[in-house]
Amino acid sequence: MYLELYRLKDRVAVVTGGGRGIGQEIGRALGEAGARIVVADIDPATREAAAARLRDEGVEAVAMPVDVTDTASVNALAEAVMDQFGRVDILVNNAGVSRLTDALDMTDDEWRWVMEVNANAVFWCARAFGRHMVAAGKGSIVNLGSMSGLIINRPQFAAHYMASKAACHHITKALAVEWATKGVRVNAIAPGYIGTEMTMQLKTMPEVYAKNVEMTPMGRFGEPREIASTALFLASDASSYFTGSILSVDGGYTAW
């Protein structure tokens, strides 16, 4: 009975930023559970390669273009998914960016860009796909927030990133409450330091990297699969009474 709750046979899952890193691994986890995966990414090469890898692993997967900061592009993606599959069951808002910049050195354009990708785009995508989910009376949206939306990181500084992830968490709760009686669940994952290509750039700053490891009670960075398995839980019926939740997956970082 319980394993069946994790099965996603025939469901359609859209993963933004699905061409690499955590997004690619989430596509693999949902696909292994039986979902049909839409790898949505702005980069043609990475989205096509990721979809091809999933197909090689026996997952039904297609690549579709999207610029999550452009509402016309997001709406076009939603329509393309509905045209091809006739349904959408799962949306994973994974696309995100990160920059380390002191507040006094931060430009207006950099602030706007980080907020646009990490906060505004979460709403644009949730709205576009939420329309179809609400109409169908069912669906699960999983947003990728961050522990940085719960605490302030140190010793590095990134006020725009932390603010954008806090906004992502509150968007999650607002939509969860609004759609709770309409069959659509909205939850978020708040990862700690995960060993992706983007995060591992911290190794170029040895003191920062060492401090991040030291401040994580488990004494290590997480792995993309550890976020993907959480996404699978939230996307599946195993989490049927979860909505508006922010699940910290951070090796204990926010428990200090």
Side-chain angles (χ1 to χ4, degrees), residues 44 64 98 121 123 157 160 172 200 237:
M64 291 188 181
S98 175
F123 180 75
F157 300 109
H160 46 8
T172 298
M200 295 310 286
D237 294 340

Side-chain angles (χ1 to χ4, degrees), residues 234-248:
L234 291 176
S236 74
D237 294 340
S239 61
S240 58
Y241 201 51
F242 276 72
T243 200
S245 295
I246 314 296
L247 297 190
S248 295

Side-chain angles (χ1 to χ4, degrees), residues 10-131:
D10 297 327
R11 298 187 197 182
V12 175
V14 177
V15 183
T16 69
R20 66 180 72 190
I22 291 172
Q24 178 178 300
E25 201 61 30
I26 288 174
R28 178 173 287 117
L30 302 184
E32 188 174 310
R36 294 173 284 177
I37 307 300
V38 177
V39 179
D41 205 295
I42 195 171
D43 186 324
T46 57
R47 69 175 179 253
E48 294 293 345
R53 281 192 292 271
L54 289 175
R55 289 193 294 269
D56 288 344
E57 295 170 8
V59 174
E60 183 178 343
V62 298
M64 291 188 181
V66 68
D67 176 352
V68 295
T69 68
D70 180 347
T71 55
S73 178
V74 170
N75 292 337
L77 171 66
E79 293 309 313
V81 171
M82 293 302 293
D83 287 345
Q84 180 159 345
F85 296 101
R87 62 187 290 176
V88 60
D89 304 280
I90 299 160
L91 168 66
V92 181
N93 273 314
N94 167 77
V97 294
S98 175
R99 290 291 183 273
L100 300 181
T101 309
D102 291 358
L104 298 181
D105 297 326
M106 193 179 298
T107 66
D108 293 355
D109 285 344
E110 183 176 329
W111 173 274
R112 291 190 185 102
W113 180 63
V114 171
M115 293 298 291
E116 187 74 20
V117 178
N118 291 353
N120 292 351
V122 170
F123 180 75
W124 307 149
C125 293
R127 180 179 62 183
F129 287 95
R131 286 191 180 106

Side-chain angles (χ1 to χ4, degrees), residues 215-237:
M215 291 188 65
T216 302
M218 291 184 73
R220 66 174 177 88
F221 277 27
E223 298 179 18
R225 65 174 177 80
E226 293 173 306
I227 304 304
S229 59
T230 308
L232 171 59
F233 169 69
L234 291 176
S236 74
D237 294 340

Side-chain angles (χ1 to χ4, degrees), residues 184-238:
V184 180
R185 299 184 298 107
V186 188
N187 295 287
I189 303 171
Y193 294 112
I194 306 300
T196 63
E197 180 180 341
M198 182 172 68
T199 306
M200 295 310 286
Q201 291 175 4
L202 288 172
K203 282 193 169 182
T204 63
M205 298 178 282
E207 292 183 5
V208 172
Y209 179 80
K211 188 66 174 178
N212 293 160
V213 173
E214 175 192 334
M215 291 188 65
T216 302
M218 291 184 73
R220 66 174 177 88
F221 277 27
E223 298 179 18
R225 65 174 177 80
E226 293 173 306
I227 304 304
S229 59
T230 308
L232 171 59
F233 169 69
L234 291 176
S236 74
D237 294 340

Side-chain angles (χ1 to χ4, degrees), residues 157-178:
F157 300 109
H160 46 8
Y161 181 78
M162 298 173 203
S164 70
K165 291 302 185 178
C168 172
H169 294 172
H170 228 55
I171 290 168
T172 298
K173 293 181 179 183
L175 296 181
V177 170
E178 187 168 341

